Amino acid sequence: MTSSRNRSGRSASSTAAGTVRHHRPRPFAPDQFAAFQGGSDPAATAEGAALLARALVEGGRSTSDQAAVRRLVGLVEEAGIDTVAQWWADAPAVSLSGVLWRLYALRSATLRNGAQWAAWYRAGHEAHVARAVAGPVEPPGARELQQLTTDILTGAFTGDFDVALERAAAYGRVVCLGQAHHSEALEAGQPAQAAVLLRQAKRLLGTAEELEEAAAAWRRGTLD
């Protein structure tokens, strides 16, 4: 595992440097999450959410306990997507908090509506380069995509963090292309639904671009 220095002076993993992390934080236990679920001071709440994001990332990447990693990957199932959204949905996109929200949200959406996401993914098959980066899954059905997104999130805690972000971005690019294709097919008979789906595709493309930007920031050691 490699690390680089971020703006706050703390160490963060990166593929660009070869130094060893100076401390090995312990992953948070589920009952510790409650302290970050909100408060009367928005600034304090945002700071607490950012600290939680860093603790989860650094703790997960510092442990060899696979059960602990699985609990981190399953955070949404344990805490609930609404709670996770309260922590991080409003965080800057290019931040650890923002990145974690996007990784968890992509996985949660795929788990929740796997058949639809698989249909979009198959429709986006022309994005061959992005598909290869995301990771080959054949045939790309609901179960395969659910495993793919789980593997991507697991990789954020056990592998190269920037690679995990790039894989998530590639996954989003394939799916958003499929959404665009589906939108075109709906235009004649269901124009309103087509417009909604096209907006979703544009938002997902934006998410992919943000994840790519965050990956570059991680390599520079500036993702806080």
Side-chain angles (χ1 to χ4, degrees):
M1 183 168 57
T2 58
S3 64
S4 62
R5 183 72 56 183
N6 63 33
R7 286 193 296 257
S8 64
R10 292 185 291 266
S11 294
S13 295
S14 171
T15 58
T19 56
V20 178
R21 187 182 306 281
H22 298 292
H23 60 286
R24 298 172 66 81
R26 177 175 59 86
F28 273 42
D31 59 358
Q32 294 175 282
F33 296 145
F36 297 91
Q37 291 185 13
S40 58
D41 185 345
T45 299
E47 182 180 1
L51 289 172
L52 173 60
R54 178 165 295 282
L56 293 179
V57 171
E58 293 190 348
R61 294 177 61 77
S62 298
T63 184
S64 59
D65 185 348
Q66 295 304 306
V69 172
R70 287 193 295 271
R71 292 183 74 189
L72 290 174
V73 172
L75 175 62
V76 167
E77 290 90 326
E78 187 154 5
I81 188 64
D82 291 339
T83 296
V84 176
Q86 288 175 15
W87 295 338
W88 298 322
D90 293 330
V94 184
S95 67
L96 279 179
S97 300
V99 160
L100 282 185
W101 166 243
R102 283 155 179 77
L103 290 178
Y104 280 116
L106 278 174
R107 179 175 178 270
S108 179
T110 304
L111 292 178
R112 187 172 60 250
N113 199 4
Q116 181 62 77
W117 278 67
W120 288 331
Y121 191 92
R122 288 192 296 270
H125 68 88
E126 294 178 9
H128 293 299
V129 174
R131 186 176 184 179
V133 173
V137 284
E138 300 295 345
R143 181 177 300 177
E144 289 76 21
L145 292 191
Q146 289 164 358
Q147 185 60 55
L148 174 62
T149 53
T150 296
D151 290 345
I152 289 172
L153 185 53
T154 300
F157 296 114
T158 62
D160 292 325
F161 194 73
D162 53 333
V163 173
L165 300 186
E166 288 172 338
R167 289 186 67 193
Y171 174 64
R173 283 185 177 276
V174 175
V175 173
C176 79
L177 180 59
Q179 290 175 327
H181 285 331
H182 278 224
S183 175
E184 290 175 2
L186 290 170
E187 281 181 356
Q190 298 173 283
Q193 187 174 347
V196 169
L197 188 55
L198 186 58
R199 286 195 295 271
Q200 292 177 4
K202 290 179 178 177
R203 286 197 298 270
L204 187 53
L205 177 59
T207 295
E209 292 171 342
E210 290 161 351
L211 287 167
E212 290 163 350
E213 186 178 351
W218 178 265
R219 287 191 289 270
R220 293 193 302 268
T222 59
L223 187 66
D224 293 328

